[in-house]
Amino acid sequence: MTTRIAISTRKGGVGKSEVLVALASAFARKKERVLAVDLDPQANASRRLGAAWEADAGKPSISEVIKADAVGVGEDAVVSCGWTDENGNPTEEASYIDVLAARLDLINREGEAGQVGALRRLKKALDGGWTDKYDWILFDNKPDLGHLVQLSLAATDYVLVPSTLDFDAVAGAIEVRQFIAEHADDMMNPSLKLLAVLPTRYDKRKAEQNFQYDNLREYFPDELLKFARNVERNGTVEFVTPSYIPERTRFAEADSAAVSLTAWNDATARETVAIYDALADALTTRVSELAAEVAA
């Protein structure tokens, strides 16, 4: 079965695109197929996946896909992840990742919010059976709860909320949970669930961040995942992955270079990769648990 996860919150600068890209590569390392859907007009996720939209490529962007308002039309806009090795061949991770790329004019779809059926256009584009080959569909979103975000919420199973450790970001995470509770039915998606809240860019040396981390644990006792685990190298524990995304320059380096974290092979790379591998496993378990609750 295909699991759909919208990565969303109201606060900007929390690392939504970073999380999508690194999670996509983590699932790919498990040989699971991923479709990344970029719904942010900034198109950061598209660029970081080496799939920036090009006018002369003969492919529509997600903007045209939504405007078309047709079942299955998203298949026509799919492009491959553009990560390559030193010989110019697709990396193994890239071979498992496809992209529905965004461009700046995606913002024009906001003005169509009042049209009949507009909220279901993305879901229709992903229907028709063509997405069944993917294990995961990940949606990147703008930092708000407007029409473009609601398109993903109407089309997804779950919401993953990244949150930096500051007051506004924590408040934004709470607002997303409230929005789901109050408006899932309005988006014709009553089974929509908050999957997890993910602390990002956490620097434990900062007292305010420690305070806000405690707030997250209080407000989200079930949704704050525990994915810390030992990572061994040559028979000994090299490090322990934390249950959050720490502040690391390597994440920014990978984002700027539009490459996977595995493009490096040093201790920092091994740690950053292991963190997202642990997170991918934890999210898989969480999805299974929520599915079992529904079945029961």
Side-chain angles (χ1 to χ4, degrees):
M1 291 183 60
T2 304
T3 300
R4 302 180 179 193
I5 301 176
I7 300 173
S8 180
T9 191
R10 187 187 57 77
K11 174 70 165 57
V14 302
K16 292 184 298 298
S17 299
E18 171 196 302
V19 170
L20 180 143
V21 172
L23 258 184
S25 59
F27 287 131
R29 287 190 291 274
K30 298 170 65 176
K31 302 188 184 308
E32 296 174 350
R33 296 206 62 185
V34 180
L35 175 65
V37 182
D38 193 350
L39 288 168
D40 189 337
Q42 295 184 84
N44 291 330
S46 301
R47 182 193 65 80
R48 293 172 187 178
L49 287 165
W53 184 84
E54 299 177 5
D56 59 355
K59 286 276 188 178
S61 72
I62 190 66
S63 179
E64 287 79 30
V65 166
I66 294 168
K67 185 177 182 179
D69 190 19
V71 173
V73 71
E75 186 174 17
D76 298 332
V78 171
V79 295
S80 299
C81 176
W83 293 339
T84 58
D85 60 22
E86 62 274 11
N87 297 316
N89 299 315
T91 65
E92 185 174 6
E93 289 172 0
S95 67
Y96 287 93
I97 303 171
D98 287 335
V99 185
L100 286 176
R103 70 174 195 255
L104 184 60
D105 77 344
L106 175 60
I107 196 67
N108 293 335
R109 304 284 76 80
E110 294 262 0
E112 299 167 356
Q115 296 182 13
V116 175
L119 196 58
R120 302 290 283 176
R121 288 182 178 179
L122 177 61
K123 184 180 185 303
K124 287 172 67 175
L126 300 175
D127 284 345
W130 70 272
T131 58
D132 292 349
K133 64 185 177 183
Y134 297 104
D135 298 289
W136 304 91
I137 299 177
L138 305 178
F139 302 87
D140 194 23
N141 282 295
K142 294 174 59 189
D144 59 37
L145 291 169
H147 179 63
L148 289 176
V149 177
Q150 290 177 39
L151 285 170
S152 76
L153 299 185
T156 196
D157 304 309
Y158 303 102
V159 181
L160 171 63
V161 181
S163 176
T164 49
L165 282 305
D166 58 84
F167 182 92
D168 290 339
V170 174
I174 295 170
E175 289 173 1
V176 170
R177 178 172 61 185
Q178 183 177 354
F179 188 85
I180 293 170
E182 294 180 353
H183 297 293
D185 285 344
D186 297 330
M187 295 181 289
M188 292 167 282
N189 192 8
S191 62
L192 180 64
K193 291 181 176 60
L194 178 61
L195 179 63
V197 176
L198 176 65
T200 58
R201 300 178 180 174
Y202 186 12
D203 185 345
K204 297 186 73 172
R205 297 170 299 179
K206 298 180 179 179
E208 175 63 16
Q209 292 200 11
N210 293 326
F211 175 75
Q212 295 298 342
Y213 187 58
D214 289 339
N215 280 341
L216 277 183
R217 287 193 290 192
E218 177 183 350
Y219 293 130
F220 300 97
D222 298 321
E223 294 86 3
L224 206 62
L225 298 181
K226 298 178 177 64
F227 57 97
R229 67 186 183 193
N230 294 339
V231 177
E232 295 187 355
R233 182 176 172 83
N234 298 325
T236 61
V237 175
E238 184 178 20
F239 52 80
V240 179
T241 60
S243 287
Y244 53 83
I245 307 301
E247 183 70 70
R248 292 282 190 278
T249 58
R250 179 55 50 79
F251 295 125
E253 291 168 352
D255 289 344
S256 296
V259 297
S260 169
L261 292 166
T262 56
W264 291 268
N265 189 28
D266 55 17
T268 300
R270 289 193 295 273
E271 181 181 7
T272 54
V273 167
I275 291 169
Y276 272 99
D277 286 347
L279 175 61
D281 288 343
L283 290 174
T284 301
T285 299
R286 175 75 172 154
V287 166
S288 297
E289 291 172 347
L290 290 176
E293 290 177 8
V294 172

